[in-house]
Amino acid sequence: MAYSRKDAKAFARENMRGIWAAALTPFAPDLSIDEKALRANLRHWFDDLGIDGVFMAGKQGEFWSLSLEERKRLMAISVEEAGKKAGTIMSCSDQNIDTVIELAKYAESIGATSIVVHAPVLSFLKAQDETLYEYYKYISEQVNIGIAMWSHPDSGYLMSPELCARIAELPNIVAIKYSVPREMYVKLTHMVGDKLIVSTSSEEEWFDNIVELGWRLYLCSSPPYLLQTKYDRRMREYTDLAFAGEVEKARAVRNSLDPVRKALRGTQPKEKPPAHGKYWQQLLGQQGGEGRVRRPMLELTDAEKQAMREAFASCGLQLSASKSAAE
């Protein structure tokens, strides 16, 4: 590994920067992982879209439907394709803590940049702070790799800023993907200073968080590769402009993506986000496996696909050097 446990925070501050994307998992017709398609997507994201890091085998990747060996395979592929070009953060989330530790040790052994561990579902508990502190403390003691927390409503509760700040005192707790109301992550950002990198998955809030909070890491979801093409890298553009202090130019570019956001958000069936994201990838020319998903996820109907094609055609993304989706 490129750093020691005691240097994990410093390494993260230096290397966990820019735009990181959460990968969907493309499936072949027999619903096996389509490794060739995944590699093609990763190369496109790193080389053509300028994505700085990839979040692998997480909720976007349908980790609940994958075997332990499949999750490890996704991790290995992403490290191979990222090389020295991009960072990698491996989702080790699981209800079984032995699985979490096994995946974390594997990620460390193959040279991943970091790992992320989702706050677990805690059945029957009326309070959870001490349980969660001990949970992350135990995991942090088993590995040297930098660990990102992740608090999300899916757990049935949200971790408070005060609890996150306490956990951030552990030496290799380096970041948090904080999927909470903005006032909570603003508070945590002001509390932790350089002890913890705070981020959230909302692309619509990313510009404001750069400008108002000084954030330098988008961690992370699918917009970096669903809102962009090789010839239309507006998320990358407005991010770099905002980083450089060109706020009004960045705002104009950011706002120009509103038709794309509307088309993407407006065509997503409530029960089918993975299939929707993969089919949108297909429309972009990426490898989406025709929107195939594993159970219990549902696939798109023909009518839903048609609605997506129509919205995509008028969203204004530029697909080639001289052609937009509307042409």
Side-chain angles (χ1 to χ4, degrees), residues 260-275:
V260 187
R261 295 185 187 96
K262 182 179 179 181
L264 185 62
R265 182 175 58 245
T267 56
Q268 185 186 95
K270 291 183 178 180
E271 294 188 73
K272 302 178 181 181

Side-chain angles (χ1 to χ4, degrees), residues 252-265:
V253 177
R254 183 253 176 234
N255 291 346
S256 75
L257 277 170
D258 282 345
V260 187
R261 295 185 187 96
K262 182 179 179 181
L264 185 62
R265 182 175 58 245

Side-chain angles (χ1 to χ4, degrees), residues 59 63 68 72 78 146 163 168 204 241 249 252 269 300 308 312:
K59 291 195 294 186
F63 80 87
L68 196 58
K72 290 179 178 179
S78 66
L163 173 62
E204 294 189 18
L241 286 167
K249 289 181 180 179
L300 299 170
M308 287 181 66
F312 181 82

